Amino acid sequence: MLNEKLHLYIEQLIPERNPLLMEMEQFAKEHGVPIMELPGIETMLELLRIHRSKKILEVGTAIGYSAIRMADAITGAHIVTIERDTERINLAKEFIQRSQLEQQITLIEGDALELENEVSSHAPFDAIFIDAAKGQYKKFFEIYSSYLNDGGMVITDNVLFKGLVAETEIESRRTRNLVKKINDFNHWLMNHPTFDSIILPVGDGVAVSKKRGERK
Ligand code: SAH
Ligand code: MG
């Protein structure tokens, strides 16, 4: 991984976002909302642009920051995004409305593990962004990757979990269990028969997977 100084250097080179987005970043910081880290989201947006993803499914809206950033970055893109937390849903609605991008964003309320029917009515997707409960990544991936176009991309955030995936001694049992789940997901993903994947050490760790469409 790059050292602290270089991370800072890269981050400082990223241009400022518009005032609403900066307000959301500040809000997230003050209220402990785990929006994607700046270098992570910039990397994802660039991949989505290069991939020319237009129809994107997001699992984990939080307050709508990443959904707004995707809608804003990619002209003509449509984001279908899922959130289960009522308070965050209300905040997301407000921010999305203020962004004036509401025509590009469909917010689905509820638990992503129970919404396959509703989500599938918006399929197929060019890309899927998984950024919700870390212990359920494999389930989210399994359910929703079947609604991905061939050549489609899955981006999964937080796969390095603050570097803990590479630690052998973790005190808290809860954290240890979660780390094991993320590790299992990473191994499973990297050996998936129909996806080519790589884990980028940016932000909190971003996995990029591309669907091949045929078996190895
Ligand atoms: N993608 C957002 C951050 C998401 S934070 C951004 O970068 O701006 C993760 C969110 O996922 C939390 O708000 C949490 O409530 C939601 N979440 C976790 N598990 C979920 C599930 N099973 N279904 C729906 N939302 C879920
Ligand atoms: Mg995240």
Side-chain angles (χ1 to χ4, degrees), residues 56-60 80-82 108 110-130 132 136-149 152-154 188 195 211:
I56 303 164
L57 172 66
E58 172 178 72
V59 184
V80 175
T81 182
I82 311 170
I108 299 181
D111 191 318
L113 295 174
E114 295 162 7
L115 288 167
E116 187 174 351
N117 274 345
E118 187 171 350
V119 172
S120 68
S121 71
H122 298 275
F125 300 100
D126 303 314
I128 299 174
F129 173 39
I130 300 175
Q136 313 281 355
Y137 275 6
K138 195 173 158 202
K139 282 191 191 151
F140 297 138
F141 195 106
E142 281 181 321
I143 296 172
Y144 293 115
S145 63
S146 54
Y147 299 102
L148 199 59
N149 287 318
M153 183 166 68
V154 182
W188 173 80
F195 281 86
K211 188 174 179 176

mmCIF file of all heavy atoms in Angstrom, residues 56-60 80-82 108 110-130 132 136-149 152-154 188 195 211:
data_model
loop_
_atom_site.group_PDB
_atom_site.id
_atom_site.type_symbol
_atom_site.label_atom_id
_atom_site.label_comp_id
_atom_site.label_asym_id
_atom_site.label_seq_id
_atom_site.Cartn_x
_atom_site.Cartn_y
_atom_site.Cartn_z
ATOM 1 N N ILE A 56 -27.206 1.230 -13.253
ATOM 2 C CA ILE A 56 -26.387 0.821 -12.114
ATOM 3 C C ILE A 56 -27.261 0.496 -10.899
ATOM 4 O O ILE A 56 -28.156 1.272 -10.541
ATOM 5 C CB ILE A 56 -25.378 1.934 -11.756
ATOM 6 C CG1 ILE A 56 -24.503 2.286 -12.979
ATOM 7 C CG2 ILE A 56 -24.509 1.523 -10.566
ATOM 8 C CD1 ILE A 56 -23.745 3.590 -12.867
ATOM 9 N N LEU A 57 -26.989 -0.645 -10.294
ATOM 10 C CA LEU A 57 -27.660 -1.008 -9.046
ATOM 11 C C LEU A 57 -26.720 -0.764 -7.884
ATOM 12 O O LEU A 57 -25.567 -1.209 -7.913
ATOM 13 C CB LEU A 57 -28.063 -2.495 -9.068
ATOM 14 C CG LEU A 57 -28.607 -3.055 -7.748
ATOM 15 C CD1 LEU A 57 -29.949 -2.409 -7.380
ATOM 16 C CD2 LEU A 57 -28.754 -4.583 -7.828
ATOM 17 N N GLU A 58 -27.210 -0.080 -6.868
ATOM 18 C CA GLU A 58 -26.402 0.156 -5.667
ATOM 19 C C GLU A 58 -27.072 -0.497 -4.466
ATOM 20 O O GLU A 58 -28.258 -0.269 -4.216
ATOM 21 C CB GLU A 58 -26.268 1.672 -5.422
ATOM 22 C CG GLU A 58 -25.601 2.002 -4.089
ATOM 23 C CD GLU A 58 -25.429 3.506 -3.883
ATOM 24 O OE1 GLU A 58 -26.436 4.208 -3.638
ATOM 25 O OE2 GLU A 58 -24.291 3.988 -3.995
ATOM 26 N N VAL A 59 -26.304 -1.279 -3.715
ATOM 27 C CA VAL A 59 -26.822 -1.870 -2.477
ATOM 28 C C VAL A 59 -26.203 -1.086 -1.320
ATOM 29 O O VAL A 59 -25.005 -1.194 -1.062
ATOM 30 C CB VAL A 59 -26.469 -3.371 -2.388
ATOM 31 C CG1 VAL A 59 -27.113 -3.986 -1.146
ATOM 32 C CG2 VAL A 59 -26.909 -4.115 -3.644
ATOM 33 N N GLY A 60 -27.022 -0.270 -0.641
ATOM 34 C CA GLY A 60 -26.522 0.584 0.442
ATOM 35 C C GLY A 60 -26.456 2.039 0.005
ATOM 36 O O GLY A 60 -25.419 2.528 -0.432
ATOM 37 N N VAL A 80 -30.374 2.617 -9.537
ATOM 38 C CA VAL A 80 -31.380 2.017 -8.665
ATOM 39 C C VAL A 80 -30.651 1.711 -7.364
ATOM 40 O O VAL A 80 -29.631 1.021 -7.363
ATOM 41 C CB VAL A 80 -31.946 0.716 -9.284
ATOM 42 C CG1 VAL A 80 -32.904 0.034 -8.312
ATOM 43 C CG2 VAL A 80 -32.641 1.018 -10.605
ATOM 44 N N THR A 81 -31.139 2.269 -6.254
ATOM 45 C CA THR A 81 -30.370 2.148 -5.018
ATOM 46 C C THR A 81 -31.241 1.701 -3.849
ATOM 47 O O THR A 81 -32.397 2.101 -3.742
ATOM 48 C CB THR A 81 -29.614 3.482 -4.720
ATOM 49 O OG1 THR A 81 -28.843 3.326 -3.538
ATOM 50 C CG2 THR A 81 -30.546 4.674 -4.575
ATOM 51 N N ILE A 82 -30.687 0.833 -3.018
ATOM 52 C CA ILE A 82 -31.465 0.202 -1.942
ATOM 53 C C ILE A 82 -30.941 0.627 -0.568
ATOM 54 O O ILE A 82 -29.742 0.579 -0.307
ATOM 55 C CB ILE A 82 -31.356 -1.345 -2.022
ATOM 56 C CG1 ILE A 82 -31.618 -1.856 -3.430
ATOM 57 C CG2 ILE A 82 -32.303 -1.992 -1.022
ATOM 58 C CD1 ILE A 82 -31.294 -3.343 -3.608
ATOM 59 N N ILE A 108 -35.089 2.413 -3.594
ATOM 60 C CA ILE A 108 -35.945 1.316 -3.143
ATOM 61 C C ILE A 108 -35.719 1.123 -1.653
ATOM 62 O O ILE A 108 -34.582 0.972 -1.200
ATOM 63 C CB ILE A 108 -35.646 0.017 -3.928
ATOM 64 C CG1 ILE A 108 -35.928 0.234 -5.421
ATOM 65 C CG2 ILE A 108 -36.491 -1.127 -3.391
ATOM 66 C CD1 ILE A 108 -35.686 -0.987 -6.288
ATOM 67 N N GLY A 110 -35.962 -0.789 1.892
ATOM 68 C CA GLY A 110 -36.112 -2.106 2.503
ATOM 69 C C GLY A 110 -34.796 -2.855 2.543
ATOM 70 O O GLY A 110 -33.742 -2.310 2.206
ATOM 71 N N ASP A 111 -34.896 -4.122 2.954
ATOM 72 C CA ASP A 111 -33.702 -4.959 3.093
ATOM 73 C C ASP A 111 -33.350 -5.573 1.738
ATOM 74 O O ASP A 111 -34.169 -6.265 1.138
ATOM 75 C CB ASP A 111 -33.971 -6.061 4.124
ATOM 76 C CG ASP A 111 -32.706 -6.798 4.507
ATOM 77 O OD1 ASP A 111 -31.883 -7.095 3.595
ATOM 78 O OD2 ASP A 111 -32.521 -7.071 5.699
ATOM 79 N N ALA A 112 -32.133 -5.330 1.306
ATOM 80 C CA ALA A 112 -31.698 -5.801 -0.019
ATOM 81 C C ALA A 112 -31.818 -7.324 -0.159
ATOM 82 O O ALA A 112 -31.933 -7.830 -1.274
ATOM 83 C CB ALA A 112 -30.265 -5.362 -0.281
ATOM 84 N N LEU A 113 -31.799 -8.022 0.971
ATOM 85 C CA LEU A 113 -31.897 -9.482 0.887
ATOM 86 C C LEU A 113 -33.319 -9.933 0.572
ATOM 87 O O LEU A 113 -33.558 -11.075 0.235
ATOM 88 C CB LEU A 113 -31.425 -10.128 2.200
ATOM 89 C CG LEU A 113 -29.952 -9.920 2.543
ATOM 90 C CD1 LEU A 113 -29.634 -10.478 3.920
ATOM 91 C CD2 LEU A 113 -29.056 -10.565 1.490
ATOM 92 N N GLU A 114 -34.267 -8.994 0.667
ATOM 93 C CA GLU A 114 -35.684 -9.365 0.462
ATOM 94 C C GLU A 114 -36.315 -8.639 -0.721
ATOM 95 O O GLU A 114 -37.530 -8.634 -0.865
ATOM 96 C CB GLU A 114 -36.482 -9.035 1.731
ATOM 97 C CG GLU A 114 -36.054 -9.867 2.929
ATOM 98 C CD GLU A 114 -36.515 -9.253 4.247
ATOM 99 O OE1 GLU A 114 -37.275 -8.272 4.238
ATOM 100 O OE2 GLU A 114 -36.072 -9.780 5.291
ATOM 101 N N LEU A 115 -35.524 -8.025 -1.550
ATOM 102 C CA LEU A 115 -36.093 -7.157 -2.587
ATOM 103 C C LEU A 115 -35.822 -7.626 -4.009
ATOM 104 O O LEU A 115 -35.965 -6.862 -4.960
ATOM 105 C CB LEU A 115 -35.544 -5.730 -2.411
ATOM 106 C CG LEU A 115 -36.088 -4.972 -1.198
ATOM 107 C CD1 LEU A 115 -35.253 -3.732 -0.941
ATOM 108 C CD2 LEU A 115 -37.549 -4.607 -1.409
ATOM 109 N N GLU A 116 -35.451 -8.906 -4.134
ATOM 110 C CA GLU A 116 -35.061 -9.396 -5.456
ATOM 111 C C GLU A 116 -36.144 -9.138 -6.514
ATOM 112 O O GLU A 116 -35.836 -8.692 -7.619
ATOM 113 C CB GLU A 116 -34.727 -10.889 -5.390
ATOM 114 C CG GLU A 116 -34.167 -11.394 -6.702
ATOM 115 C CD GLU A 116 -33.685 -12.830 -6.629
ATOM 116 O OE1 GLU A 116 -33.634 -13.394 -5.516
ATOM 117 O OE2 GLU A 116 -33.376 -13.379 -7.698
ATOM 118 N N ASN A 117 -37.404 -9.405 -6.156
ATOM 119 C CA ASN A 117 -38.488 -9.209 -7.129
ATOM 120 C C ASN A 117 -38.573 -7.789 -7.632
ATOM 121 O O ASN A 117 -38.602 -7.545 -8.845
ATOM 122 C CB ASN A 117 -39.838 -9.580 -6.501
ATOM 123 C CG ASN A 117 -40.107 -11.068 -6.644
ATOM 124 O OD1 ASN A 117 -39.432 -11.748 -7.431
ATOM 125 N ND2 ASN A 117 -41.059 -11.557 -5.880
ATOM 126 N N GLU A 118 -38.611 -6.861 -6.682
ATOM 127 C CA GLU A 118 -38.738 -5.455 -7.058
ATOM 128 C C GLU A 118 -37.516 -4.989 -7.860
ATOM 129 O O GLU A 118 -37.655 -4.319 -8.884
ATOM 130 C CB GLU A 118 -38.911 -4.602 -5.808
ATOM 131 C CG GLU A 118 -39.222 -3.165 -6.150
ATOM 132 C CD GLU A 118 -39.614 -2.335 -4.939
ATOM 133 O OE1 GLU A 118 -39.832 -2.901 -3.851
ATOM 134 O OE2 GLU A 118 -39.694 -1.103 -5.102
ATOM 135 N N VAL A 119 -36.341 -5.389 -7.400
ATOM 136 C CA VAL A 119 -35.116 -4.952 -8.084
ATOM 137 C C VAL A 119 -35.040 -5.539 -9.487
ATOM 138 O O VAL A 119 -34.656 -4.861 -10.447
ATOM 139 C CB VAL A 119 -33.864 -5.339 -7.257
ATOM 140 C CG1 VAL A 119 -32.591 -5.068 -8.051
ATOM 141 C CG2 VAL A 119 -33.834 -4.565 -5.942
ATOM 142 N N SER A 120 -35.463 -6.795 -9.621
ATOM 143 C CA SER A 120 -35.339 -7.460 -10.928
ATOM 144 C C SER A 120 -36.207 -6.788 -11.990
ATOM 145 O O SER A 120 -35.927 -6.892 -13.182
ATOM 146 C CB SER A 120 -35.667 -8.953 -10.818
ATOM 147 O OG SER A 120 -37.034 -9.120 -10.524
ATOM 148 N N SER A 121 -37.251 -6.054 -11.558
ATOM 149 C CA SER A 121 -38.082 -5.356 -12.541
ATOM 150 C C SER A 121 -37.317 -4.193 -13.184
ATOM 151 O O SER A 121 -37.750 -3.631 -14.183
ATOM 152 C CB SER A 121 -39.386 -4.866 -11.897
ATOM 153 O OG SER A 121 -39.118 -3.803 -11.014
ATOM 154 N N HIS A 122 -36.190 -3.814 -12.594
ATOM 155 C CA HIS A 122 -35.349 -2.754 -13.178
ATOM 156 C C HIS A 122 -34.170 -3.318 -13.966
ATOM 157 O O HIS A 122 -33.384 -2.572 -14.534
ATOM 158 C CB HIS A 122 -34.811 -1.827 -12.080
ATOM 159 C CG HIS A 122 -35.876 -1.106 -11.319
ATOM 160 N ND1 HIS A 122 -36.435 0.074 -11.753
ATOM 161 C CD2 HIS A 122 -36.506 -1.412 -10.156
ATOM 162 C CE1 HIS A 122 -37.356 0.467 -10.882
ATOM 163 N NE2 HIS A 122 -37.413 -0.427 -9.910
ATOM 164 N N ALA A 123 -34.001 -4.650 -13.932
ATOM 165 C CA ALA A 123 -32.846 -5.303 -14.567
ATOM 166 C C ALA A 123 -32.999 -5.298 -16.093
ATOM 167 O O ALA A 123 -34.100 -5.071 -16.594
ATOM 168 C CB ALA A 123 -32.725 -6.733 -14.043
ATOM 169 N N PRO A 124 -31.949 -5.554 -16.872
ATOM 170 C CA PRO A 124 -30.593 -5.885 -16.423
ATOM 171 C C PRO A 124 -29.762 -4.639 -16.097
ATOM 172 O O PRO A 124 -30.097 -3.534 -16.513
ATOM 173 C CB PRO A 124 -30.007 -6.588 -17.652
ATOM 174 C CG PRO A 124 -30.680 -5.929 -18.813
ATOM 175 C CD PRO A 124 -32.071 -5.601 -18.341
ATOM 176 N N PHE A 125 -28.672 -4.857 -15.358
ATOM 177 C CA PHE A 125 -27.783 -3.763 -14.972
ATOM 178 C C PHE A 125 -26.430 -3.896 -15.676
ATOM 179 O O PHE A 125 -25.983 -4.995 -15.960
ATOM 180 C CB PHE A 125 -27.579 -3.769 -13.454
ATOM 181 C CG PHE A 125 -28.858 -3.605 -12.693
ATOM 182 C CD1 PHE A 125 -29.511 -4.698 -12.143
ATOM 183 C CD2 PHE A 125 -29.448 -2.348 -12.558
ATOM 184 C CE1 PHE A 125 -30.719 -4.554 -11.461
ATOM 185 C CE2 PHE A 125 -30.657 -2.187 -11.886
ATOM 186 C CZ PHE A 125 -31.290 -3.291 -11.334
ATOM 187 N N ASP A 126 -25.814 -2.755 -15.917
ATOM 188 C CA ASP A 126 -24.446 -2.758 -16.469
ATOM 189 C C ASP A 126 -23.423 -2.883 -15.349
ATOM 190 O O ASP A 126 -22.321 -3.381 -15.558
ATOM 191 C CB ASP A 126 -24.163 -1.453 -17.226
ATOM 192 C CG ASP A 126 -25.175 -1.209 -18.332
ATOM 193 O OD1 ASP A 126 -25.470 -2.157 -19.079
ATOM 194 O OD2 ASP A 126 -25.680 -0.070 -18.427
ATOM 195 N N ALA A 127 -23.807 -2.375 -14.186
ATOM 196 C CA ALA A 127 -22.881 -2.414 -13.049
ATOM 197 C C ALA A 127 -23.653 -2.504 -11.747
ATOM 198 O O ALA A 127 -24.807 -2.050 -11.651
ATOM 199 C CB ALA A 127 -21.994 -1.165 -13.041
ATOM 200 N N ILE A 128 -23.022 -3.128 -10.773
ATOM 201 C CA ILE A 128 -23.602 -3.236 -9.429
ATOM 202 C C ILE A 128 -22.560 -2.743 -8.436
ATOM 203 O O ILE A 128 -21.386 -3.115 -8.525
ATOM 204 C CB ILE A 128 -23.987 -4.696 -9.110
ATOM 205 C CG1 ILE A 128 -25.028 -5.205 -10.107
ATOM 206 C CG2 ILE A 128 -24.532 -4.809 -7.674
ATOM 207 C CD1 ILE A 128 -25.364 -6.686 -9.958
ATOM 208 N N PHE A 129 -23.013 -1.908 -7.508
ATOM 209 C CA PHE A 129 -22.114 -1.399 -6.470
ATOM 210 C C PHE A 129 -22.594 -1.927 -5.122
ATOM 211 O O PHE A 129 -23.695 -1.586 -4.674
ATOM 212 C CB PHE A 129 -22.110 0.139 -6.500
ATOM 213 C CG PHE A 129 -21.355 0.780 -5.369
ATOM 214 C CD1 PHE A 129 -20.153 0.245 -4.903
ATOM 215 C CD2 PHE A 129 -21.831 1.945 -4.771
ATOM 216 C CE1 PHE A 129 -19.454 0.842 -3.859
ATOM 217 C CE2 PHE A 129 -21.140 2.553 -3.726
ATOM 218 C CZ PHE A 129 -19.956 1.995 -3.267
ATOM 219 N N ILE A 130 -21.786 -2.777 -4.510
ATOM 220 C CA ILE A 130 -22.152 -3.368 -3.219
ATOM 221 C C ILE A 130 -21.445 -2.598 -2.103
ATOM 222 O O ILE A 130 -20.213 -2.569 -2.028
ATOM 223 C CB ILE A 130 -21.769 -4.865 -3.164
ATOM 224 C CG1 ILE A 130 -22.503 -5.636 -4.273
ATOM 225 C CG2 ILE A 130 -22.102 -5.445 -1.785
ATOM 226 C CD1 ILE A 130 -22.110 -7.104 -4.378
ATOM 227 N N ALA A 132 -23.037 -2.368 1.459
ATOM 228 C CA ALA A 132 -23.970 -2.476 2.588
ATOM 229 C C ALA A 132 -23.349 -3.365 3.664
ATOM 230 O O ALA A 132 -22.125 -3.388 3.792
ATOM 231 C CB ALA A 132 -25.302 -3.008 2.078
ATOM 232 N N GLN A 136 -22.715 -9.704 4.651
ATOM 233 C CA GLN A 136 -23.665 -10.275 3.682
ATOM 234 C C GLN A 136 -23.204 -10.117 2.230
ATOM 235 O O GLN A 136 -23.989 -10.348 1.312
ATOM 236 C CB GLN A 136 -25.037 -9.581 3.808
ATOM 237 C CG GLN A 136 -25.548 -9.427 5.206
ATOM 238 C CD GLN A 136 -26.156 -10.713 5.722
ATOM 239 O OE1 GLN A 136 -26.265 -11.688 4.984
ATOM 240 N NE2 GLN A 136 -26.535 -10.728 6.982
ATOM 241 N N TYR A 137 -21.968 -9.724 2.029
ATOM 242 C CA TYR A 137 -21.507 -9.422 0.676
ATOM 243 C C TYR A 137 -21.739 -10.560 -0.305
ATOM 244 O O TYR A 137 -22.153 -10.346 -1.438
ATOM 245 C CB TYR A 137 -20.014 -9.056 0.689
ATOM 246 C CG TYR A 137 -19.761 -7.593 0.996
ATOM 247 C CD1 TYR A 137 -20.803 -6.740 1.348
ATOM 248 C CD2 TYR A 137 -18.480 -7.060 0.908
ATOM 249 C CE1 TYR A 137 -20.563 -5.401 1.616
ATOM 250 C CE2 TYR A 137 -18.236 -5.720 1.175
ATOM 251 C CZ TYR A 137 -19.279 -4.905 1.530
ATOM 252 O OH TYR A 137 -19.050 -3.582 1.784
ATOM 253 N N LYS A 138 -21.434 -11.790 0.149
ATOM 254 C CA LYS A 138 -21.580 -12.930 -0.762
ATOM 255 C C LYS A 138 -23.045 -13.092 -1.192
ATOM 256 O O LYS A 138 -23.331 -13.345 -2.357
ATOM 257 C CB LYS A 138 -21.066 -14.196 -0.082
ATOM 258 C CG LYS A 138 -20.845 -15.330 -1.048
ATOM 259 C CD LYS A 138 -20.169 -16.508 -0.390
ATOM 260 C CE LYS A 138 -20.443 -17.753 -1.188
ATOM 261 N NZ LYS A 138 -20.272 -18.962 -0.380
ATOM 262 N N LYS A 139 -23.947 -12.903 -0.228
ATOM 263 C CA LYS A 139 -25.379 -13.022 -0.548
ATOM 264 C C LYS A 139 -25.811 -11.946 -1.540
ATOM 265 O O LYS A 139 -26.500 -12.224 -2.514
ATOM 266 C CB LYS A 139 -26.231 -12.933 0.720
ATOM 267 C CG LYS A 139 -26.232 -14.205 1.518
ATOM 268 C CD LYS A 139 -27.287 -14.150 2.601
ATOM 269 C CE LYS A 139 -27.095 -15.321 3.549
ATOM 270 N NZ LYS A 139 -27.556 -15.009 4.914
ATOM 271 N N PHE A 140 -25.414 -10.702 -1.270
ATOM 272 C CA PHE A 140 -25.781 -9.622 -2.202
ATOM 273 C C PHE A 140 -25.250 -9.948 -3.601
ATOM 274 O O PHE A 140 -25.945 -9.792 -4.601
ATOM 275 C CB PHE A 140 -25.176 -8.275 -1.763
ATOM 276 C CG PHE A 140 -25.652 -7.761 -0.436
ATOM 277 C CD1 PHE A 140 -24.755 -7.193 0.470
ATOM 278 C CD2 PHE A 140 -26.990 -7.823 -0.085
ATOM 279 C CE1 PHE A 140 -25.183 -6.699 1.691
ATOM 280 C CE2 PHE A 140 -27.435 -7.333 1.148
ATOM 281 C CZ PHE A 140 -26.521 -6.772 2.038
ATOM 282 N N PHE A 141 -24.012 -10.385 -3.640
ATOM 283 C CA PHE A 141 -23.367 -10.684 -4.916
ATOM 284 C C PHE A 141 -24.108 -11.807 -5.633
ATOM 285 O O PHE A 141 -24.401 -11.717 -6.829
ATOM 286 C CB PHE A 141 -21.889 -11.063 -4.687
ATOM 287 C CG PHE A 141 -21.042 -11.042 -5.928
ATOM 288 C CD1 PHE A 141 -20.128 -10.015 -6.145
ATOM 289 C CD2 PHE A 141 -21.148 -12.046 -6.884
ATOM 290 C CE1 PHE A 141 -19.340 -9.988 -7.299
ATOM 291 C CE2 PHE A 141 -20.367 -12.024 -8.031
ATOM 292 C CZ PHE A 141 -19.457 -11.002 -8.239
ATOM 293 N N GLU A 142 -24.420 -12.856 -4.880
ATOM 294 C CA GLU A 142 -25.080 -14.018 -5.509
ATOM 295 C C GLU A 142 -26.470 -13.665 -6.029
ATOM 296 O O GLU A 142 -26.849 -14.056 -7.127
ATOM 297 C CB GLU A 142 -25.150 -15.186 -4.521
ATOM 298 C CG GLU A 142 -23.811 -15.907 -4.428
ATOM 299 C CD GLU A 142 -23.836 -17.080 -3.477
ATOM 300 O OE1 GLU A 142 -24.473 -16.971 -2.404
ATOM 301 O OE2 GLU A 142 -23.218 -18.100 -3.802
ATOM 302 N N ILE A 143 -27.218 -12.915 -5.217
ATOM 303 C CA ILE A 143 -28.590 -12.573 -5.644
ATOM 304 C C ILE A 143 -28.552 -11.678 -6.880
ATOM 305 O O ILE A 143 -29.197 -11.955 -7.887
ATOM 306 C CB ILE A 143 -29.365 -11.834 -4.520
ATOM 307 C CG1 ILE A 143 -29.546 -12.744 -3.304
ATOM 308 C CG2 ILE A 143 -30.719 -11.332 -5.034
ATOM 309 C CD1 ILE A 143 -30.125 -12.028 -2.076
ATOM 310 N N TYR A 144 -27.777 -10.604 -6.807
ATOM 311 C CA TYR A 144 -27.919 -9.568 -7.828
ATOM 312 C C TYR A 144 -27.005 -9.703 -9.047
ATOM 313 O O TYR A 144 -27.311 -9.124 -10.094
ATOM 314 C CB TYR A 144 -27.814 -8.185 -7.183
ATOM 315 C CG TYR A 144 -29.006 -7.947 -6.284
ATOM 316 C CD1 TYR A 144 -28.877 -7.796 -4.904
ATOM 317 C CD2 TYR A 144 -30.296 -7.952 -6.821
ATOM 318 C CE1 TYR A 144 -29.993 -7.633 -4.088
ATOM 319 C CE2 TYR A 144 -31.413 -7.797 -6.016
ATOM 320 C CZ TYR A 144 -31.254 -7.638 -4.651
ATOM 321 O OH TYR A 144 -32.354 -7.484 -3.857
ATOM 322 N N SER A 145 -25.949 -10.494 -8.946
ATOM 323 C CA SER A 145 -25.083 -10.618 -10.124
ATOM 324 C C SER A 145 -25.794 -11.367 -11.259
ATOM 325 O O SER A 145 -25.395 -11.266 -12.417
ATOM 326 C CB SER A 145 -23.756 -11.287 -9.773
ATOM 327 O OG SER A 145 -23.970 -12.592 -9.325
ATOM 328 N N SER A 146 -26.869 -12.075 -10.926
ATOM 329 C CA SER A 146 -27.608 -12.755 -11.999
ATOM 330 C C SER A 146 -28.408 -11.759 -12.843
ATOM 331 O O SER A 146 -28.905 -12.103 -13.915
ATOM 332 C CB SER A 146 -28.527 -13.839 -11.423
ATOM 333 O OG SER A 146 -29.352 -13.286 -10.449
ATOM 334 N N TYR A 147 -28.527 -10.528 -12.367
ATOM 335 C CA TYR A 147 -29.234 -9.504 -13.143
ATOM 336 C C TYR A 147 -28.270 -8.555 -13.865
ATOM 337 O O TYR A 147 -28.629 -7.442 -14.260
ATOM 338 C CB TYR A 147 -30.187 -8.713 -12.233
ATOM 339 C CG TYR A 147 -31.234 -9.605 -11.628
ATOM 340 C CD1 TYR A 147 -31.131 -10.044 -10.311
ATOM 341 C CD2 TYR A 147 -32.296 -10.073 -12.399
ATOM 342 C CE1 TYR A 147 -32.071 -10.905 -9.763
ATOM 343 C CE2 TYR A 147 -33.240 -10.937 -11.868
ATOM 344 C CZ TYR A 147 -33.117 -11.348 -10.551
ATOM 345 O OH TYR A 147 -34.050 -12.207 -10.025
ATOM 346 N N LEU A 148 -27.032 -9.035 -14.007
ATOM 347 C CA LEU A 148 -25.998 -8.237 -14.640
ATOM 348 C C LEU A 148 -25.854 -8.667 -16.100
ATOM 349 O O LEU A 148 -25.905 -9.860 -16.414
ATOM 350 C CB LEU A 148 -24.682 -8.506 -13.892
ATOM 351 C CG LEU A 148 -23.505 -7.555 -13.996
ATOM 352 C CD1 LEU A 148 -23.882 -6.159 -13.533
ATOM 353 C CD2 LEU A 148 -22.362 -8.095 -13.134
ATOM 354 N N ASN A 149 -25.670 -7.715 -16.978
ATOM 355 C CA ASN A 149 -25.379 -8.041 -18.378
ATOM 356 C C ASN A 149 -24.044 -8.767 -18.484
ATOM 357 O O ASN A 149 -23.161 -8.567 -17.660
ATOM 358 C CB ASN A 149 -25.277 -6.752 -19.207
ATOM 359 C CG ASN A 149 -26.621 -6.117 -19.447
ATOM 360 O OD1 ASN A 149 -27.595 -6.814 -19.727
ATOM 361 N ND2 ASN A 149 -26.688 -4.799 -19.326
ATOM 362 N N GLY A 152 -20.740 -7.172 -17.641
ATOM 363 C CA GLY A 152 -21.095 -6.240 -16.577
ATOM 364 C C GLY A 152 -20.058 -6.241 -15.461
ATOM 365 O O GLY A 152 -19.226 -7.150 -15.360
ATOM 366 N N MET A 153 -20.134 -5.207 -14.628
ATOM 367 C CA MET A 153 -19.100 -5.017 -13.607
ATOM 368 C C MET A 153 -19.732 -4.962 -12.221
ATOM 369 O O MET A 153 -20.805 -4.403 -12.054
ATOM 370 C CB MET A 153 -18.384 -3.697 -13.923
ATOM 371 C CG MET A 153 -17.249 -3.360 -13.018
ATOM 372 S SD MET A 153 -16.227 -2.035 -13.711
ATOM 373 C CE MET A 153 -17.340 -0.647 -13.628
ATOM 374 N N VAL A 154 -19.045 -5.563 -11.264
ATOM 375 C CA VAL A 154 -19.470 -5.421 -9.872
ATOM 376 C C VAL A 154 -18.343 -4.728 -9.110
ATOM 377 O O VAL A 154 -17.179 -5.125 -9.221
ATOM 378 C CB VAL A 154 -19.772 -6.780 -9.190
ATOM 379 C CG1 VAL A 154 -20.260 -6.566 -7.756
ATOM 380 C CG2 VAL A 154 -20.804 -7.572 -9.994
ATOM 381 N N TRP A 188 -13.500 -16.237 -2.258
ATOM 382 C CA TRP A 188 -14.566 -16.744 -3.118
ATOM 383 C C TRP A 188 -14.630 -15.922 -4.418
ATOM 384 O O TRP A 188 -14.679 -16.467 -5.513
ATOM 385 C CB TRP A 188 -15.892 -16.668 -2.344
ATOM 386 C CG TRP A 188 -17.112 -17.000 -3.131
ATOM 387 C CD1 TRP A 188 -17.583 -18.244 -3.436
ATOM 388 C CD2 TRP A 188 -18.034 -16.059 -3.724
ATOM 389 N NE1 TRP A 188 -18.738 -18.135 -4.174
ATOM 390 C CE2 TRP A 188 -19.032 -16.815 -4.364
ATOM 391 C CE3 TRP A 188 -18.104 -14.661 -3.756
ATOM 392 C CZ2 TRP A 188 -20.099 -16.218 -5.035
ATOM 393 C CZ3 TRP A 188 -19.158 -14.081 -4.430
ATOM 394 C CH2 TRP A 188 -20.136 -14.853 -5.056
ATOM 395 N N PHE A 195 -16.379 -14.643 -13.073
ATOM 396 C CA PHE A 195 -15.961 -13.246 -12.907
ATOM 397 C C PHE A 195 -14.441 -13.146 -12.814
ATOM 398 O O PHE A 195 -13.804 -13.967 -12.165
ATOM 399 C CB PHE A 195 -16.549 -12.654 -11.616
ATOM 400 C CG PHE A 195 -17.973 -12.234 -11.740
ATOM 401 C CD1 PHE A 195 -18.997 -13.147 -11.538
ATOM 402 C CD2 PHE A 195 -18.300 -10.932 -12.080
ATOM 403 C CE1 PHE A 195 -20.333 -12.763 -11.661
ATOM 404 C CE2 PHE A 195 -19.629 -10.537 -12.207
ATOM 405 C CZ PHE A 195 -20.646 -11.457 -11.992
ATOM 406 N N LYS A 211 -17.912 -9.598 -15.277
ATOM 407 C CA LYS A 211 -18.583 -10.843 -15.641
ATOM 408 C C LYS A 211 -18.158 -11.271 -17.036
ATOM 409 O O LYS A 211 -18.248 -10.502 -17.992
ATOM 410 C CB LYS A 211 -20.094 -10.624 -15.605
ATOM 411 C CG LYS A 211 -20.910 -11.879 -15.778
ATOM 412 C CD LYS A 211 -22.377 -11.532 -15.575
ATOM 413 C CE LYS A 211 -23.265 -12.739 -15.758
ATOM 414 N NZ LYS A 211 -24.672 -12.406 -15.460
#
